[in-house]
Amino acid sequence: MIETRGREVPLSYVVTLLVGVALGFLLARFGDFIGRYPVESTLVAVLIAAVAVLAWACREMLQDLLGRDRPDGAEETDPAPVPRLSAHRPPNGVRR
């Protein structure tokens, strides 16, 4: 028998598609404005990218803080995983 297999589309492909559609819409709508004010348009694009990076970093820190990576069957005696973005400093105060 032939089994039917569904194809899973990676999330990055979907995000890339949506960003492309949004950029195409913005260029069609505000193309003359972007051509007239290229420096200001570039600064706005950099600002939007910076906010997106900050949102991603906040999400990563909250995941580390809440410890959602622990499996459900983990016992309380197991040591807690060390956060990837740890604020821990050694006793002498120097990070390595």
Side-chain angles (χ1 to χ4, degrees):
M1 287 190 146
I2 298 175
E3 294 182 17
T4 306
R5 294 185 182 179
R7 293 185 89 190
E8 294 183 15
V9 177
L11 182 61
S12 61
Y13 290 4
V14 174
V15 170
T16 304
L17 175 69
L18 292 177
V19 167
V21 168
L23 284 176
F25 173 76
L26 289 174
L27 283 174
R29 179 87 172 146
F30 303 108
D32 57 339
F33 181 79
I34 293 171
R36 217 175 322 153
Y37 303 106
V39 175
E40 291 83 356
S41 301
T42 303
L43 289 175
V44 169
V46 168
L47 178 65
I48 291 171
V51 169
V53 168
L54 285 174
W56 171 81
C58 288
R59 184 185 66 89
E60 290 292 320
M61 288 191 300
L62 283 174
Q63 279 184 347
D64 285 343
L65 181 67
L66 298 176
R68 297 209 187 265
D69 295 334
R70 295 183 70 188
D72 291 337
E75 296 181 15
E76 294 297 325
T77 58
D78 292 342
V82 177
R84 295 184 309 243
L85 304 174
S86 177
H88 173 72
R89 289 182 182 257
N92 63 0
V94 178
R95 291 186 190 209
R96 295 185 190 260

